[in-house]
Amino acid sequence: MEANEILILAMFGSFILLLFIGIPVAWVLGGVGVAFAIIGYYSDIYFDTWTGLDFTTLGLVVNRLFKIMDNWILVALPMFIFMGNMLDKSGVADRLMHAMQALFGRVHGGLAITVMAIGIILAASTGIIGASVVLLATMSLPAMMKQGYHLPLALGTIASAGTLGILLPPSIMLVIMADQLALSVGDLFMGAMVPGLMLGAIYIVYLLIVGLVKPQSIPLPDDAKPVDWGVIKDVAKAIVPTFALILAVLGSIFSGIATPTEASGVGAFGAILLAAFYKRFSLSVLREVLIDSYKTTAYIFAIFIGATCFALVLRELGGDEFIEQAFEALPFGPYGVVAFILLVIFLLGFFLDWIEITLIVLPLLAPVVLGLDLDIGTYPGLDNAELVWFVMLVAMALQTSFLTPPVGFALFYLKGVCPPEVRLIDIYKGVLPFIILQLIALVVLVFWPNLILWLPSVAYG
């Protein structure tokens, strides 16, 4: 084994080891990159190797950081984060919960279906999961427990509904994926619409089936009333303003009126107007939202900086060629390789955050997929159809990473707002069926790529 290959494996090993120790991921990524640039440099001097690394490699990081800060696509990130945080303060979810609970009140599992429906609406208007999970848990978990819901099912419903925001546009994960692979953000947003709505529909069908098979686990509320025009009007009043915001953001992108960056600004301003409309806007609220948005944005860009250093050193060592050759050597067909890649990403999701996987692993694996002889059909006018399809498969696989222990973000958000009697094992049991449903949805997308590529291809038709 050559020196470069040893260093590549050592880099990944050191990265995983330091993460398990508990060092923040941004420091791990940047520190490992710097350390192995130095190791490679002195290895060439004292061990007569040729790694191609020297201190000029680290100097190139500065140029890459300037390109990140000068990237107009990434301007959308803080705007979408601000929009999500402002909607959190606007009281939209609270109004939706009270209105829609009456709509589904006479259906077994009606409250769970309400939570899932609100999760879909919030997903299409926020793009982040933290606020959604906390909001849904705070508003619905006490009511579910009071009605006698099976606790793991209630917890799994809340966690899975809250994580839809990372898949449905305007997802910040899709913005980062588009930037890393030089894809159109609009293509990814359109490609995610059908898979995201399909996953939400699968969840709702599952809850309806549970209500039929085990009605005692999701009982009807004692005060359930028939649906009348008054209930429908309340639902319409609660939904229309939020849908107007969704239409303003996604509609402007899909129609070509605005770029995703411009639409993110429209969304941020629209969220302020929505908060003002519901009389929830004030200078103190604005200050709180700005600080929360700053913290989330700083966290993401700190990982960007560390990942840039790590990825540059890895590429200088020939890491992309090494990984590409390793996957090409697998004794599987093209779809077998895709399945293996998705399995690796699914397993990595147990231990790594989606940001690390997106910034480090995705750019390394995309060339492997492009080199495969995949037959996914013809989509005239859509550039890089195979890559758009693959990215959406990765996005669906990463959807599971928010629910899989031990580092699933949704699990910690949920545990943080649950009553003390709710155990972590209850949350684990609750999310397991929804992880299985996510994997089923992933398999469906593998065999029917048209579900991903139809909408973006029609936009160019």
Side-chain angles (χ1 to χ4, degrees), residues 76-135:
L77 284 180
M79 291 293 188
F80 281 135
I81 292 169
F82 176 92
M83 182 178 74
N85 288 330
M86 182 58 75
L87 283 176
D88 177 19
K89 304 296 182 183
S90 68
V92 167
D94 190 38
R95 290 174 177 270
L96 287 171
M97 177 65 70
H98 286 94
M100 296 186 69
Q101 186 174 353
L103 187 65
F104 296 106
R106 294 178 64 85
V107 178
H108 273 285
L111 181 53
I113 294 172
T114 297
V115 171
M116 197 61 66
I118 294 174
I120 294 172
I121 295 172
L122 291 179
S125 55
T126 61
I128 54 178
I129 73 155
S132 297
V133 173
V134 171
L135 267 175

Short mmCIF file of all heavy atoms in Angstrom, two decimals, residues 76-135:
data_model
loop_
_atom_site.label_atom_id
_atom_site.label_comp_id
_atom_site.label_asym_id
_atom_site.label_seq_id
_atom_site.Cartn_x
_atom_site.Cartn_y
_atom_site.Cartn_z
N ALA A 76 -28.47 32.24 0.44
CA ALA A 76 -29.83 31.76 0.74
C ALA A 76 -29.89 31.07 2.11
O ALA A 76 -30.97 31.03 2.73
CB ALA A 76 -30.30 30.80 -0.34
N LEU A 77 -28.79 30.51 2.58
CA LEU A 77 -28.80 29.77 3.84
C LEU A 77 -29.26 30.63 5.03
O LEU A 77 -30.23 30.27 5.71
CB LEU A 77 -27.43 29.16 4.12
CG LEU A 77 -27.04 27.92 3.33
CD1 LEU A 77 -25.65 27.46 3.74
CD2 LEU A 77 -28.04 26.80 3.57
N PRO A 78 -28.58 31.73 5.34
CA PRO A 78 -29.04 32.52 6.50
C PRO A 78 -30.45 33.07 6.31
O PRO A 78 -31.19 33.22 7.29
CB PRO A 78 -28.00 33.64 6.61
CG PRO A 78 -27.32 33.69 5.29
CD PRO A 78 -27.35 32.31 4.75
N MET A 79 -30.84 33.35 5.06
CA MET A 79 -32.19 33.88 4.81
C MET A 79 -33.25 32.83 5.12
O MET A 79 -34.26 33.11 5.78
CB MET A 79 -32.32 34.33 3.35
CG MET A 79 -31.50 35.56 3.02
SD MET A 79 -32.12 37.02 3.89
CE MET A 79 -31.13 38.29 3.10
N PHE A 80 -33.04 31.58 4.64
CA PHE A 80 -34.01 30.52 4.91
C PHE A 80 -34.03 30.17 6.40
O PHE A 80 -35.08 29.84 6.96
CB PHE A 80 -33.70 29.28 4.08
CG PHE A 80 -34.14 29.37 2.65
CD1 PHE A 80 -33.31 28.96 1.61
CD2 PHE A 80 -35.40 29.85 2.33
CE1 PHE A 80 -33.72 29.03 0.30
CE2 PHE A 80 -35.82 29.94 1.00
CZ PHE A 80 -34.97 29.52 -0.02
N ILE A 81 -32.87 30.22 7.04
CA ILE A 81 -32.82 29.96 8.49
C ILE A 81 -33.59 31.04 9.24
O ILE A 81 -34.35 30.75 10.17
CB ILE A 81 -31.36 29.89 8.96
CG1 ILE A 81 -30.67 28.64 8.37
CG2 ILE A 81 -31.28 29.86 10.49
CD1 ILE A 81 -29.17 28.62 8.56
N PHE A 82 -33.40 32.30 8.85
CA PHE A 82 -34.15 33.40 9.46
C PHE A 82 -35.64 33.21 9.25
O PHE A 82 -36.44 33.41 10.17
CB PHE A 82 -33.69 34.73 8.85
CG PHE A 82 -34.45 35.93 9.35
CD1 PHE A 82 -34.00 36.63 10.45
CD2 PHE A 82 -35.62 36.35 8.73
CE1 PHE A 82 -34.70 37.74 10.93
CE2 PHE A 82 -36.33 37.44 9.20
CZ PHE A 82 -35.87 38.14 10.30
N MET A 83 -36.04 32.82 8.04
CA MET A 83 -37.45 32.62 7.74
C MET A 83 -38.05 31.55 8.66
O MET A 83 -39.14 31.73 9.22
CB MET A 83 -37.63 32.21 6.28
CG MET A 83 -39.08 32.02 5.85
SD MET A 83 -39.28 31.59 4.11
CE MET A 83 -38.73 29.88 4.13
N GLY A 84 -37.34 30.44 8.82
CA GLY A 84 -37.83 29.37 9.68
C GLY A 84 -37.95 29.81 11.13
O GLY A 84 -38.95 29.51 11.81
N ASN A 85 -36.96 30.53 11.63
CA ASN A 85 -37.00 30.99 13.02
C ASN A 85 -38.09 32.03 13.25
O ASN A 85 -38.75 32.03 14.31
CB ASN A 85 -35.64 31.56 13.42
CG ASN A 85 -34.58 30.50 13.59
OD1 ASN A 85 -34.89 29.36 13.96
ND2 ASN A 85 -33.34 30.83 13.31
N MET A 86 -38.30 32.89 12.28
CA MET A 86 -39.35 33.90 12.42
C MET A 86 -40.74 33.25 12.39
O MET A 86 -41.64 33.65 13.14
CB MET A 86 -39.23 34.96 11.32
CG MET A 86 -40.26 36.08 11.43
SD MET A 86 -40.20 36.98 13.01
CE MET A 86 -38.72 37.96 12.78
N LEU A 87 -40.91 32.24 11.53
CA LEU A 87 -42.19 31.53 11.50
C LEU A 87 -42.43 30.81 12.82
O LEU A 87 -43.58 30.67 13.27
CB LEU A 87 -42.22 30.53 10.35
CG LEU A 87 -42.44 31.12 8.96
CD1 LEU A 87 -42.35 30.03 7.90
CD2 LEU A 87 -43.80 31.80 8.87
N ASP A 88 -41.36 30.36 13.46
CA ASP A 88 -41.47 29.74 14.77
C ASP A 88 -42.10 30.71 15.77
O ASP A 88 -42.92 30.32 16.61
CB ASP A 88 -40.07 29.29 15.22
CG ASP A 88 -40.08 28.69 16.61
OD1 ASP A 88 -41.15 28.28 17.08
OD2 ASP A 88 -39.00 28.61 17.22
N LYS A 89 -41.72 31.98 15.68
CA LYS A 89 -42.22 32.99 16.61
C LYS A 89 -43.58 33.57 16.21
O LYS A 89 -44.23 34.24 17.01
CB LYS A 89 -41.22 34.15 16.72
CG LYS A 89 -39.81 33.73 17.12
CD LYS A 89 -39.78 33.13 18.51
CE LYS A 89 -38.37 32.77 18.92
NZ LYS A 89 -38.34 32.11 20.25
N SER A 90 -44.00 33.30 14.97
CA SER A 90 -45.21 33.96 14.46
C SER A 90 -46.50 33.34 14.96
O SER A 90 -47.57 33.92 14.81
CB SER A 90 -45.21 33.92 12.93
OG SER A 90 -45.38 32.59 12.46
N GLY A 91 -46.43 32.12 15.52
CA GLY A 91 -47.63 31.45 15.99
C GLY A 91 -48.39 30.72 14.91
O GLY A 91 -49.54 30.29 15.12
N VAL A 92 -47.77 30.54 13.74
CA VAL A 92 -48.43 29.84 12.62
C VAL A 92 -48.79 28.42 13.01
O VAL A 92 -49.92 27.95 12.80
CB VAL A 92 -47.52 29.85 11.38
CG1 VAL A 92 -48.03 28.87 10.34
CG2 VAL A 92 -47.45 31.24 10.78
N ALA A 93 -47.83 27.70 13.58
CA ALA A 93 -48.06 26.29 13.91
C ALA A 93 -49.16 26.14 14.97
O ALA A 93 -49.97 25.21 14.90
CB ALA A 93 -46.77 25.66 14.41
N ASP A 94 -49.21 27.06 15.91
CA ASP A 94 -50.23 27.00 16.95
C ASP A 94 -51.62 27.14 16.35
O ASP A 94 -52.56 26.40 16.71
CB ASP A 94 -49.95 28.11 17.97
CG ASP A 94 -50.81 27.96 19.22
OD1 ASP A 94 -51.04 26.82 19.66
OD2 ASP A 94 -51.25 28.98 19.77
N ARG A 95 -51.78 28.07 15.42
CA ARG A 95 -53.08 28.26 14.77
C ARG A 95 -53.45 27.05 13.92
O ARG A 95 -54.62 26.62 13.90
CB ARG A 95 -53.04 29.53 13.90
CG ARG A 95 -52.99 30.82 14.69
CD ARG A 95 -52.81 32.02 13.80
NE ARG A 95 -52.81 33.25 14.57
CZ ARG A 95 -53.91 33.96 14.83
NH1 ARG A 95 -55.08 33.54 14.39
NH2 ARG A 95 -53.84 35.06 15.54
N LEU A 96 -52.47 26.51 13.21
CA LEU A 96 -52.74 25.33 12.39
C LEU A 96 -53.17 24.15 13.26
O LEU A 96 -54.08 23.39 12.89
CB LEU A 96 -51.49 24.96 11.59
CG LEU A 96 -51.12 25.87 10.42
CD1 LEU A 96 -49.75 25.50 9.88
CD2 LEU A 96 -52.16 25.76 9.31
N MET A 97 -52.51 23.97 14.40
CA MET A 97 -52.82 22.85 15.28
C MET A 97 -54.27 22.92 15.76
O MET A 97 -55.01 21.93 15.68
CB MET A 97 -51.85 22.84 16.46
CG MET A 97 -52.13 21.75 17.49
SD MET A 97 -51.89 20.08 16.84
CE MET A 97 -50.10 20.07 16.68
N HIS A 98 -54.70 24.06 16.24
CA HIS A 98 -56.05 24.18 16.77
C HIS A 98 -57.11 24.03 15.67
O HIS A 98 -58.18 23.45 15.91
CB HIS A 98 -56.22 25.53 17.47
CG HIS A 98 -55.52 25.60 18.80
ND1 HIS A 98 -54.24 26.10 18.93
CD2 HIS A 98 -55.90 25.21 20.03
CE1 HIS A 98 -53.87 26.04 20.21
NE2 HIS A 98 -54.85 25.50 20.90
N ALA A 99 -56.80 24.55 14.48
CA ALA A 99 -57.79 24.48 13.40
C ALA A 99 -57.89 23.07 12.82
O ALA A 99 -58.99 22.54 12.64
CB ALA A 99 -57.42 25.48 12.30
N MET A 100 -56.75 22.44 12.55
CA MET A 100 -56.77 21.16 11.87
C MET A 100 -57.11 20.01 12.80
O MET A 100 -57.58 18.96 12.35
CB MET A 100 -55.41 20.91 11.20
CG MET A 100 -55.10 21.91 10.11
SD MET A 100 -53.58 21.53 9.21
CE MET A 100 -54.09 20.06 8.33
N GLN A 101 -56.91 20.17 14.10
CA GLN A 101 -57.27 19.11 15.03
C GLN A 101 -58.79 18.88 14.99
O GLN A 101 -59.26 17.74 15.07
CB GLN A 101 -56.83 19.46 16.45
CG GLN A 101 -57.06 18.32 17.44
CD GLN A 101 -56.49 18.63 18.81
OE1 GLN A 101 -55.83 19.64 18.99
NE2 GLN A 101 -56.75 17.76 19.77
N ALA A 102 -59.55 19.96 14.83
CA ALA A 102 -61.00 19.82 14.71
C ALA A 102 -61.38 19.13 13.41
O ALA A 102 -62.39 18.41 13.33
CB ALA A 102 -61.67 21.19 14.80
N LEU A 103 -60.57 19.33 12.36
CA LEU A 103 -60.86 18.72 11.05
C LEU A 103 -60.72 17.21 11.09
O LEU A 103 -61.50 16.48 10.47
CB LEU A 103 -59.93 19.33 10.00
CG LEU A 103 -60.19 18.95 8.55
CD1 LEU A 103 -61.55 19.46 8.08
CD2 LEU A 103 -59.09 19.50 7.65
N PHE A 104 -59.71 16.69 11.80
CA PHE A 104 -59.47 15.25 11.87
C PHE A 104 -59.88 14.64 13.21
O PHE A 104 -59.50 13.52 13.52
CB PHE A 104 -57.99 14.96 11.64
CG PHE A 104 -57.49 15.35 10.28
CD1 PHE A 104 -56.69 16.47 10.13
CD2 PHE A 104 -57.82 14.62 9.16
CE1 PHE A 104 -56.23 16.85 8.88
CE2 PHE A 104 -57.38 14.98 7.91
CZ PHE A 104 -56.58 16.10 7.76
N GLY A 105 -60.65 15.38 14.00
CA GLY A 105 -60.94 14.95 15.36
C GLY A 105 -61.72 13.66 15.46
O GLY A 105 -61.61 12.94 16.45
N ARG A 106 -62.53 13.30 14.45
CA ARG A 106 -63.37 12.11 14.52
C ARG A 106 -62.74 10.92 13.79
O ARG A 106 -63.42 9.94 13.49
CB ARG A 106 -64.75 12.41 13.94
CG ARG A 106 -65.54 13.43 14.77
CD ARG A 106 -66.87 13.74 14.15
NE ARG A 106 -67.76 12.57 14.13
CZ ARG A 106 -68.52 12.19 15.14
NH1 ARG A 106 -68.53 12.89 16.27
NH2 ARG A 106 -69.30 11.14 15.04
N VAL A 107 -61.45 11.00 13.51
CA VAL A 107 -60.71 9.91 12.88
C VAL A 107 -59.75 9.34 13.90
O VAL A 107 -59.08 10.10 14.61
CB VAL A 107 -59.92 10.41 11.63
CG1 VAL A 107 -59.12 9.28 11.01
CG2 VAL A 107 -60.87 11.04 10.62
N HIS A 108 -59.69 7.99 13.99
CA HIS A 108 -58.71 7.38 14.88
C HIS A 108 -57.31 7.81 14.45
O HIS A 108 -56.90 7.58 13.30
CB HIS A 108 -58.83 5.86 14.85
CG HIS A 108 -59.84 5.32 15.81
ND1 HIS A 108 -59.61 5.25 17.17
CD2 HIS A 108 -61.10 4.86 15.60
CE1 HIS A 108 -60.68 4.74 17.76
NE2 HIS A 108 -61.60 4.50 16.85
N GLY A 109 -56.59 8.40 15.37
CA GLY A 109 -55.28 8.94 15.02
C GLY A 109 -55.36 10.32 14.42
O GLY A 109 -54.40 10.79 13.80
N GLY A 110 -56.52 10.98 14.58
CA GLY A 110 -56.70 12.30 13.98
C GLY A 110 -55.69 13.31 14.46
O GLY A 110 -55.19 14.12 13.66
N LEU A 111 -55.33 13.28 15.74
CA LEU A 111 -54.34 14.21 16.25
C LEU A 111 -52.96 13.92 15.65
O LEU A 111 -52.21 14.85 15.31
CB LEU A 111 -54.28 14.14 17.78
CG LEU A 111 -53.30 15.08 18.48
CD1 LEU A 111 -53.52 16.52 18.05
CD2 LEU A 111 -53.43 14.94 20.00
N ALA A 112 -52.63 12.63 15.51
CA ALA A 112 -51.35 12.27 14.89
C ALA A 112 -51.31 12.70 13.43
O ALA A 112 -50.28 13.20 12.94
CB ALA A 112 -51.12 10.76 15.01
N ILE A 113 -52.43 12.52 12.72
CA ILE A 113 -52.49 12.96 11.32
C ILE A 113 -52.38 14.48 11.24
O ILE A 113 -51.74 15.03 10.34
CB ILE A 113 -53.81 12.47 10.68
CG1 ILE A 113 -53.81 10.94 10.60
CG2 ILE A 113 -53.99 13.08 9.29
CD1 ILE A 113 -55.13 10.34 10.17
N THR A 114 -53.00 15.18 12.20
CA THR A 114 -52.87 16.63 12.25
C THR A 114 -51.41 17.05 12.41
O THR A 114 -50.93 17.96 11.72
CB THR A 114 -53.70 17.19 13.42
OG1 THR A 114 -55.08 16.89 13.20
CG2 THR A 114 -53.53 18.69 13.55
N VAL A 115 -50.70 16.38 13.32
CA VAL A 115 -49.28 16.67 13.53
C VAL A 115 -48.50 16.45 12.25
O VAL A 115 -47.64 17.27 11.87
CB VAL A 115 -48.72 15.79 14.66
CG1 VAL A 115 -47.20 15.91 14.74
CG2 VAL A 115 -49.34 16.18 16.00
N MET A 116 -48.80 15.36 11.54
CA MET A 116 -48.07 15.06 10.31
C MET A 116 -48.39 16.10 9.23
O MET A 116 -47.49 16.56 8.49
CB MET A 116 -48.44 13.67 9.82
CG MET A 116 -47.47 13.10 8.79
SD MET A 116 -45.78 12.94 9.42
CE MET A 116 -46.02 11.68 10.68
N ALA A 117 -49.66 16.49 9.11
CA ALA A 117 -50.04 17.49 8.12
C ALA A 117 -49.37 18.84 8.41
O ALA A 117 -48.87 19.51 7.49
CB ALA A 117 -51.56 17.65 8.09
N ILE A 118 -49.32 19.22 9.68
CA ILE A 118 -48.66 20.47 10.04
C ILE A 118 -47.16 20.36 9.78
O ILE A 118 -46.51 21.32 9.35
CB ILE A 118 -48.95 20.82 11.51
CG1 ILE A 118 -50.43 21.13 11.69
CG2 ILE A 118 -48.11 22.01 11.97
CD1 ILE A 118 -50.85 21.35 13.12
N GLY A 119 -46.59 19.17 10.03
CA GLY A 119 -45.18 18.96 9.74
C GLY A 119 -44.88 19.19 8.27
O GLY A 119 -43.85 19.78 7.92
N ILE A 120 -45.77 18.73 7.39
CA ILE A 120 -45.58 18.94 5.94
C ILE A 120 -45.65 20.42 5.61
O ILE A 120 -44.82 20.94 4.84
CB ILE A 120 -46.64 18.15 5.15
CG1 ILE A 120 -46.43 16.64 5.35
CG2 ILE A 120 -46.58 18.50 3.67
CD1 ILE A 120 -47.55 15.79 4.76
N ILE A 121 -46.63 21.12 6.18
CA ILE A 121 -46.78 22.55 5.90
C ILE A 121 -45.59 23.34 6.42
O ILE A 121 -45.04 24.21 5.73
CB ILE A 121 -48.09 23.08 6.52
CG1 ILE A 121 -49.29 22.41 5.85
CG2 ILE A 121 -48.18 24.60 6.39
CD1 ILE A 121 -50.62 22.72 6.52
N LEU A 122 -45.15 23.03 7.64
CA LEU A 122 -43.98 23.71 8.20
C LEU A 122 -42.72 23.40 7.39
O LEU A 122 -41.85 24.26 7.21
CB LEU A 122 -43.77 23.30 9.66
CG LEU A 122 -44.80 23.80 10.67
CD1 LEU A 122 -44.47 23.28 12.06
CD2 LEU A 122 -44.87 25.32 10.68
N ALA A 123 -42.62 22.15 6.90
CA ALA A 123 -41.45 21.76 6.12
C ALA A 123 -41.34 22.60 4.86
O ALA A 123 -40.24 22.99 4.45
CB ALA A 123 -41.54 20.28 5.76
N ALA A 124 -42.48 22.87 4.23
CA ALA A 124 -42.48 23.64 2.99
C ALA A 124 -42.35 25.13 3.21
O ALA A 124 -42.35 25.90 2.25
CB ALA A 124 -43.76 23.35 2.21
N SER A 125 -42.23 25.54 4.48
CA SER A 125 -42.13 26.98 4.75
C SER A 125 -40.94 27.34 5.64
O SER A 125 -40.70 28.53 5.87
CB SER A 125 -43.42 27.50 5.41
OG SER A 125 -43.72 26.76 6.57
N THR A 126 -40.19 26.34 6.12
CA THR A 126 -39.07 26.66 7.02
C THR A 126 -37.73 26.16 6.50
O THR A 126 -36.76 26.89 6.46
CB THR A 126 -39.29 26.06 8.42
OG1 THR A 126 -39.38 24.64 8.33
CG2 THR A 126 -40.58 26.60 9.02
N GLY A 127 -37.64 24.89 6.08
CA GLY A 127 -36.37 24.35 5.60
C GLY A 127 -35.43 23.87 6.68
O GLY A 127 -34.33 23.41 6.41
N ILE A 128 -35.82 23.97 7.95
CA ILE A 128 -34.99 23.49 9.06
C ILE A 128 -35.87 22.63 9.97
O ILE A 128 -37.09 22.72 9.95
CB ILE A 128 -34.37 24.65 9.87
CG1 ILE A 128 -35.46 25.63 10.34
CG2 ILE A 128 -33.34 25.39 9.03
CD1 ILE A 128 -34.93 26.77 11.17
N ILE A 129 -35.22 21.79 10.81
CA ILE A 129 -36.01 20.83 11.58
C ILE A 129 -36.12 21.17 13.06
O ILE A 129 -37.09 20.77 13.71
CB ILE A 129 -35.45 19.40 11.43
CG1 ILE A 129 -34.13 19.25 12.21
CG2 ILE A 129 -35.26 19.02 9.99
CD1 ILE A 129 -33.84 17.85 12.60
N GLY A 130 -35.14 21.86 13.62
CA GLY A 130 -35.13 22.08 15.06
C GLY A 130 -36.39 22.74 15.56
O GLY A 130 -37.05 22.25 16.49
N ALA A 131 -36.76 23.85 14.93
CA ALA A 131 -37.95 24.58 15.36
C ALA A 131 -39.20 23.74 15.18
O ALA A 131 -40.11 23.77 16.03
CB ALA A 131 -38.07 25.89 14.57
N SER A 132 -39.28 22.98 14.08
CA SER A 132 -40.47 22.17 13.82
C SER A 132 -40.66 21.10 14.87
O SER A 132 -41.78 20.90 15.38
CB SER A 132 -40.38 21.53 12.42
OG SER A 132 -40.34 22.51 11.41
N VAL A 133 -39.60 20.37 15.21
CA VAL A 133 -39.71 19.29 16.19
C VAL A 133 -40.12 19.85 17.55
O VAL A 133 -41.01 19.30 18.22
CB VAL A 133 -38.38 18.52 16.30
CG1 VAL A 133 -38.43 17.52 17.44
CG2 VAL A 133 -38.06 17.80 14.99
N VAL A 134 -39.47 20.92 17.96
CA VAL A 134 -39.78 21.51 19.27
C VAL A 134 -41.22 22.03 19.31
O VAL A 134 -41.96 21.82 20.28
CB VAL A 134 -38.78 22.63 19.60
CG1 VAL A 134 -39.21 23.39 20.85
CG2 VAL A 134 -37.39 22.06 19.78
N LEU A 135 -41.63 22.73 18.23
CA LEU A 135 -42.99 23.26 18.17
C LEU A 135 -44.03 22.14 18.25
O LEU A 135 -44.97 22.20 19.04
CB LEU A 135 -43.18 24.04 16.87
CG LEU A 135 -42.92 25.55 16.91
CD1 LEU A 135 -43.04 26.12 15.51
CD2 LEU A 135 -43.89 26.24 17.84
#
